[in-house]
Amino acid sequence: MRVLLTGSAGFIGSHVAEELAASGHEVVGLDVREGADVRDEAAVDRLTEGVDAVVHQAARVGLGVDVSDLPSYASINVYGTAVLLAAMARHGVGRLVLASSMVVYGEGAYTCPGHGPVRPGPREPRDLDLGLFEPRCPRCGSPLAPAVVREDAPADPRNAYATTKLAQEHLAAGWARETGGVAVALRYHNVYGPRMPRDTPYSGVAAIFRSALEAGRAPRVFEDGGQRRDFVHVRDVARANAAALAAGAEGRLTAYNIASGEPRTVGEMAAALAASRGGPGPVVTGEYRLGDVRHIVASPDRARAELGFQAGIGFAEGMREFAGAPLG
């Protein structure tokens, strides 16, 4: 296939470009680092003509610093996606792979001993100030047991990035219905690996810890370090994108969790990186970010069954490599 890849020079996009090329696809790149913005209607129209599919990675990432970031998130992630979909419709491009995110779920899945599966609301600042980080049952206040979240879980975005990623999915679903196209949304969990951006307010936690260790500082772990996540290697994510080009159903959007299936705590990840670099051990600070969720752990079953995708790089192996890998 001839594939338009947005965000082709970015952290994930550059790995996707390599995987698509290795799989025999012709890759047409679009990236703001190379002078082409996904919001530029003329550029997008020109690059979309003659392609068979689009893999859409371009986005502003991270939780955002404060509400002043909202226009930028909406412009790049929402308007940029709308520009792209409109060009696809004009040129009859009928297949889309969208980089979505697990952040669309908000908190993960939980079970109350008395009320079964429940969805806790956002955590209260007063609880977080007291170090009460675990969500409680919204009906009885009992402690909850984390469970895996599946693709049919209700969406509950809790920050600017999450809201715009969900908006991208809705736009893609509308495009698929109206054009009969095929849309696949890959809900990435915590992606890490070589070329990850360095420490910025918008970086993922793995990059923040890695940058601290590179500078000889101890990683600062927020809350109590017990937050559970699924850390998935970027090369596995690239393989999932290649697999998704052959998946999906006409006239609809299908979502897939892209995850390793091996949940770990943030504290475990910080300790693994520190041990691999021989740097100072992590420091647990008790700080928090209001837009963060406590636990978000995926079920990768649908991706395994329908895409034939299963992560191949384990946590220990991946962290050892990432500890010494070049950052972006």
Side-chain angles (χ1 to χ4, degrees), residues 146-161:
V148 294
V149 64
R150 302 182 186 278
E151 290 87 350
D152 58 359
D156 186 17
R158 298 188 178 183
N159 56 62
Y161 175 62

Side-chain angles (χ1 to χ4, degrees), residues 247-274:
E250 292 182 358
R252 57 173 292 190
L253 178 140
T254 307
Y256 296 94
N257 286 324
I258 302 302
S260 72
E262 300 179 9
R264 303 283 177 162
T265 68
V266 171
E268 287 175 320
M269 188 267 287
L273 275 179

Side-chain angles (χ1 to χ4, degrees), residues 105-112 117-128 132-142 144 154-159 223 289-295:
Y105 298 119
E107 280 287 350
Y110 292 86
T111 301
C112 171
V118 295
R119 296 279 293 177
R123 296 179 295 171
E124 296 291 339
R126 62 177 177 271
D127 291 335
L128 298 171
L132 303 175
F133 302 120
E134 294 289 343
R136 292 186 170 267
C137 177
R139 298 176 62 184
C140 67
S142 296
L144 298 173
D156 186 17
R158 298 188 178 183
N159 56 62
E223 301 188 18
R289 296 190 301 180
L290 199 56
D292 274 340
V293 297
R294 180 62 176 173
H295 303 298

Side-chain angles (χ1 to χ4, degrees), residues 10 12 31-32 38 65 72 83 103 115 131 154 159 162 164 173 203 205 241-242 257-258 263-264 318 321-323:
I12 297 175
D31 196 285
V32 70
V38 73
V65 174
S72 178
V83 168
V103 296
H115 296 103
N159 56 62
T164 58
S203 296
V205 67
N241 276 270
N257 286 324
I258 302 302
R264 303 283 177 162
E321 180 203 25
F322 181 53

Side-chain angles (χ1 to χ4, degrees), residues 134-282:
E134 294 289 343
R136 292 186 170 267
C137 177
R139 298 176 62 184
C140 67
S142 296
L144 298 173
V148 294
V149 64
R150 302 182 186 278
E151 290 87 350
D152 58 359
D156 186 17
R158 298 188 178 183
N159 56 62
Y161 175 62
T163 300
T164 58
K165 295 310 285 185
L166 183 59
Q168 287 183 320
E169 289 196 14
H170 287 318
L171 288 169
W175 164 85
R177 284 193 300 271
E178 292 188 27
T179 66
V182 176
V184 174
L186 302 181
R187 291 175 177 167
Y188 301 159
H189 285 250
N190 287 66
V191 186
Y192 72 97
R195 306 175 209 155
M196 197 172 188
R198 290 183 179 274
D199 182 5
T200 77
Y202 307 96
S203 296
V205 67
I208 292 171
F209 291 166
R210 165 60 204 281
S211 295
L213 288 162
E214 194 171 48
R217 302 189 308 269
R220 293 175 59 82
V221 179
F222 280 16
E223 301 188 18
D224 59 2
Q227 312 94 300
R228 296 173 76 236
R229 298 289 189 271
D230 189 305
F231 298 98
V232 59
H233 196 280
V234 67
R235 288 198 298 274
D236 282 329
V237 170
R239 289 196 304 107
N241 276 270
L245 279 174
E250 292 182 358
R252 57 173 292 190
L253 178 140
T254 307
Y256 296 94
N257 286 324
I258 302 302
S260 72
E262 300 179 9
R264 303 283 177 162
T265 68
V266 171
E268 287 175 320
M269 188 267 287
L273 275 179
S276 293
R277 280 196 68 91

